[in-house]
């Protein structure tokens, strides 16, 4: 038996690495096991988020957005820059550099905080032991008083479109294209599909998105999802709803996809196909016998509100447990669990976890949509303010979209905020803070916001709940 630790974390994604750093900061002797290796065979920290998720996708979204602004929008501002061209190799090199800076940064933070890095695949054994098998096949077993499982998730594969080396790829593959595919198919018009489809559309691909559901972005407030659909289709994303993929065939260097829609059987040919139909919790080869850790029917590790599994002292956080598959949700669970292990009382507010779609315009929300609030039995009151009436949005040449505040009419409490517009992903933070502090719409309305800022639209939407928005003809007036 090798070293004994207070805490061993399995997985160094945003759930696991944050949990490990927090535990070490609290003085707990902590180790973190990670099996991800990069192209050079070196162990890298950061998980899906840093290596093939949040960070590389945002790097490509930012570059492609700047390209479109320079190509299509600078002229409106009086800036002439002649022909604009894209160097895909340089774009990818920058993305890779950002990724390696950040993954290297986590390794540095481990050292600085005294987290022991264990390289290899971790397997949970009974009695809180963890077996770590390195790339050379050698195993070592470690004992801990507490274990945090943070093994994340992997893309779901579907039988009608099995992955190939480079024609049918998952989200990670779509971050590695070396040239712009002329005809790009995307199966799944969810958050990841829309972001990746947007990147390649901006760079010139004809993008067709095949979405099995009849409803576009059902998790998003209806008014906002309608506006999102309008904006994204205007940019040239061909989003086909109710299109269920039934098969695919690779012919030479093309992919022929068969799908059914309301008009019957259809066929379309693409140069690349991205499969983005969701992610599944990853527990492959993770659990030994008699660990006491149970999976639910969908493969998630079963936990209670404090992320405790059925085995005392064994916790699970992040994508491998219930709740939204979001990096910040896993990180906050990591902090909560480390605090609990340290003996503190800690909890998560699952009602105030923001979500963002990093398209242009961005879409961001927290809490309940108007429809969910109604289904949950609330008497709902809403306030909406369009960016077309915002001075800053006009100055920014970004007047698309709106802010919508959803309240419980009986208490005026804010129970949801939904934004589509420039920097929505940043603006949503103030709504999260408002909800975290149990704010009413009136509290927000009585708060002073800097002028001219996009955040004034949040203020105005809160004022609009009672029909008092200043820069808009209100739907209703207070009696
Ligand atoms: C293209 C894309 C874009 C995304 N964009 C966003 C975004 O903008 N914002 C956002 O919040 N979320 C985004 N996500 C989701 C986000 O990446 C995940 O929610 C987040 O990474 C989950 O964190 P995690 O720590 O639970 O798991 P992961 O990040 O998946 O990390 C799990 C780690 O555990 C390791 N591991 C697994 N099993 C073992 C084992 N047995 N032994 C040792 N190590 C193991 C894995 O190698 C991995 O490093 C995106 C995802 C994708 C694919």
């Amino acid at each position: 038996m090798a070293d004994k630790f207070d805490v061993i974390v399995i997985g160094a994604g945003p759930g696991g690495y944050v949990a490990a750093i927090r535990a070490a900061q609290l003085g707990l002797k902590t180790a973190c096991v990670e099996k991800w290796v990069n192209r050079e065979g070196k162990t890298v920290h950061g998980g899906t988020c840093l290596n093939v998720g949040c960070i590389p996708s945002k790097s490509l979204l930012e570059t492609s957005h700047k390209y479109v602004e320079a190509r299509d929008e600078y002229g409106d501002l009086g800036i002439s820059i002649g022909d604009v061209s894209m160097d895909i190799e340089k774009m990818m090199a920058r993305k890779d550099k950002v990724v390696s800076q950040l993954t290297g940064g986590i390794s540095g933070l481990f050292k600085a905080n005294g987290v022991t890095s264990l390289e290899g695949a971790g397997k949970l054994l009974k009695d809180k032991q963890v077996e770590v098998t390195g790339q050379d096949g050698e195993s070592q077993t470690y004992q801990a008083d507490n274990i945090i499982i943070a093994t994340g998730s992997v893309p779901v594969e579907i039988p009608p479109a099995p992955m190939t080396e480079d024609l049918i790829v998952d989200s990670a593959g779509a971050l590695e294209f070396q040239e712009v595919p002329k005809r790009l198919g995307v199966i799944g018009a969810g958050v990841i599909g829309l972001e990746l489809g947007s990147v390649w559309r901006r760079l010139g691909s004809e993008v067709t998105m095949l979405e099995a559901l009849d409803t576009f972005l059902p998790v998003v407030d209806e008014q906002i999802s309608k506006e999102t659909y309008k904006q994204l289709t205007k940019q040239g994303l061909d989003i086909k709803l109710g299109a269920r993929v039934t098969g695919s065939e690779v012919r030479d260097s093309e992919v022929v996809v068969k799908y059914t829609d309301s008009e019957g059987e259809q066929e379309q040919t693409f140069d690349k196909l991205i499969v983005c139909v969701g992610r599944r919790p990853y527990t492959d080869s993770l659990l030994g016998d008699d660990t006491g850790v149970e999976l639910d029917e969908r493969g998630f590790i079963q936990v209670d509100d404090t992320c405790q599994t059925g085995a005392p002292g064994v916790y699970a956080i992040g994508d491998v447990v219930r709740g939204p598959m979001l990096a910040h949700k896993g990180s906050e669970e990591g902090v909560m669990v480390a605090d609990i292990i340290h003996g503190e009382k800690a909890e998560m507010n699952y009602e105030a976890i923001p979500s963002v779609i990093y398209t242009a315009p961005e879409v961001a929300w927290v809490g309940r949509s108007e429809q969910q609030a109604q289904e949950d039995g609330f008497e709902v009151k809403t306030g909406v303010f369009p960016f077309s009436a915002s001075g800053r949005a006009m100055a920014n040449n970004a007047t698309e979209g709106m802010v919508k505040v959803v309240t419980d009419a009986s208490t005026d409490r804010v129970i949801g905020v939904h934004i589509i517009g420039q920097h929505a992903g940043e603006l949503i933070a103030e709504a999260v803070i408002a909800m975290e502090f149990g704010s009413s719409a009136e509290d927000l309305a009585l708060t002073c916001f800097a002028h001219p800022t996009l955040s004034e639209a949040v203020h105005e939407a809160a004022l609009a709940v009672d029909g008092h928005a200043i820069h808009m003809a209100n739907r209703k007036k207070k009696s």
Side-chain angles (χ1 to χ4, degrees):
M1 176 78 65
D3 282 359
K4 183 169 185 287
F5 292 92
D6 295 324
V7 182
I8 293 181
V9 183
I10 308 178
Y17 84 71
V18 169
I21 291 172
R22 177 70 158 210
Q25 284 173 344
L26 294 170
L28 299 165
K29 186 178 175 193
T30 305
C32 186
V33 192
E34 178 53 63
K35 68 171 186 173
W36 197 300
V37 286
N38 64 12
R39 290 182 200 119
E40 291 83 46
K42 194 171 160 278
T43 301
V44 282
H45 299 122
T48 303
C49 172
L50 267 56
N51 289 289
V52 293
C54 323
I55 296 299
S57 60
K58 266 79 255 178
S59 168
L60 299 188
L61 278 157
E62 188 61 25
T63 305
S64 57
H65 182 56
K66 284 193 155 65
Y67 169 66
V68 168
E69 281 187 323
R71 189 191 61 192
D72 302 341
E73 294 167 26
Y74 278 13
D76 296 345
L77 312 181
I79 306 171
S80 330
I81 46 174
D83 277 350
V84 179
S85 62
M86 227 5 263
D87 183 334
I88 301 294
E89 204 179 321
K90 231 170 168 177
M91 173 180 84
M92 290 298 179
R94 188 188 84 89
K95 181 248 318 169
D96 292 342
K97 190 169 165 212
V98 172
V99 168
S100 67
Q101 273 174 338
L102 285 167
T103 55
I106 305 301
S107 308
L109 286 172
F110 275 6
K111 281 198 192 104
N113 285 284
V115 175
T116 302
S117 178
L118 302 175
E119 300 185 354
K123 181 172 185 173
L124 179 69
L125 308 177
K126 65 178 181 180
D127 301 330
K128 291 187 277 190
Q129 294 180 43
V130 177
E131 180 189 77
V132 179
T133 306
Q135 285 186 68
D136 56 7
E138 294 289 314
S139 296
Q140 181 98 290
T141 302
Y142 300 86
Q143 180 77 50
D145 290 334
N146 300 277
I147 288 165
I148 305 174
I149 300 171
T151 50
S153 63
V154 288
V156 169
E157 296 190 31
I158 50 169
M163 301 295 153
T164 66
E165 181 108 339
D166 64 348
L167 285 181
I168 307 181
V169 299
D170 60 16
S171 55
L175 298 166
E176 296 294 334
F177 293 159
Q178 298 305 310
E179 52 189 45
V180 180
K182 187 168 178 325
R183 298 159 302 173
L184 175 65
V186 183
I187 307 181
V191 175
I192 295 175
L194 290 171
E195 290 186 358
L196 295 173
S198 291
V199 166
W200 295 106
R201 171 69 204 137
R202 293 168 188 172
L203 299 177
S205 295
E206 294 158 15
V207 178
T208 305
M209 310 200 62
L210 302 170
E211 170 55 58
L213 295 177
D214 292 318
T215 316
F216 181 64
L217 287 176
V219 292
V220 175
D221 183 273
E222 235 173 80
Q223 198 173 354
I224 304 291
S225 68
K226 274 194 186 129
E227 182 66 19
T228 309
Y229 185 85
K230 193 174 113 193
Q231 295 296 337
L232 296 183
T233 49
K234 206 165 81 185
Q235 291 165 19
L237 287 181
D238 180 8
I239 304 168
K240 296 188 190 300
L241 299 174
R244 183 170 289 277
V245 173
T246 54
S248 63
E249 194 186 322
V250 173
R251 287 186 204 149
D252 300 324
S253 54
E254 298 179 334
V255 188
V256 180
V257 175
K258 292 193 168 68
Y259 63 94
T260 55
D261 63 14
S262 56
E263 285 167 17
E265 300 208 342
Q266 313 287 348
E267 200 177 277
Q268 198 160 341
T269 304
F270 301 108
D271 300 300
K272 297 268 188 206
L273 180 66
I274 313 174
V275 182
C276 279
V277 292
R279 298 178 62 82
R280 67 168 174 86
Y282 182 68
T283 55
D284 298 6
S285 311
L286 175 70
L287 301 174
D289 296 331
D290 306 323
T291 60
V293 173
E294 304 283 341
L295 305 185
D296 70 15
E297 65 285 353
R298 293 164 62 210
F300 290 96
I301 293 180
Q302 277 184 348
V303 288
D304 66 13
D305 285 351
T306 59
C307 291
Q308 166 82 54
T309 69
V314 180
Y315 300 83
I317 59 172
D319 280 11
V320 79
V321 302
R322 83 284 176 265
M325 285 185 165
L326 292 169
H328 44 282
K329 174 260 192 188
S331 298
E332 288 310 307
E333 287 178 334
V335 169
M336 171 182 73
V337 167
D339 287 356
I340 289 171
I341 291 171
H342 187 242
E344 281 147 47
K345 187 171 167 2
E347 58 184 16
M348 279 272 296
N349 179 3
Y350 286 94
E351 303 244 318
I353 298 174
S355 297
V356 182
I357 311 177
Y358 295 85
T359 45
E362 290 182 349
V363 182
W365 68 97
V366 57
R368 291 174 173 82
S369 66
E370 183 176 354
Q371 299 72 41
Q372 284 162 346
Q374 279 159 352
E375 278 164 28
D376 290 345
F378 286 95
E379 192 196 326
V380 178
K381 218 166 157 189
T382 65
V384 176
F385 188 79
F387 281 110
S388 56
S390 150
R392 182 58 191 269
M394 278 183 231
N396 287 6
N397 200 26
T399 50
E400 302 92 1
M402 69 194 86
V403 177
K404 177 172 183 175
V405 173
V406 179
T407 63
D408 171 358
S410 65
T411 60
D412 194 40
R413 192 167 61 96
V414 177
I415 53 174
V417 176
H418 308 267
I419 308 176
I420 173 170
Q422 190 184 46
H423 304 316
E426 306 292 336
L427 294 177
I428 201 67
E430 53 202 57
V432 176
I433 294 169
M435 283 184 58
E436 190 64 46
F437 284 85
S439 162
S440 63
E442 188 183 27
D443 291 328
L444 268 178
L446 291 173
T447 303
C448 182
F449 288 68
H451 175 76
T453 58
L454 296 173
S455 65
E456 286 171 297
V458 177
H459 187 214
E460 291 271 19
L463 282 160
V465 171
D466 255 342
H468 286 159
I470 302 291
H471 295 92
M472 181 181 82
N474 290 281
R475 286 177 296 162
K476 49 200 172 216
K477 296 218 166 21
K478 213 173 182 180
S479 52

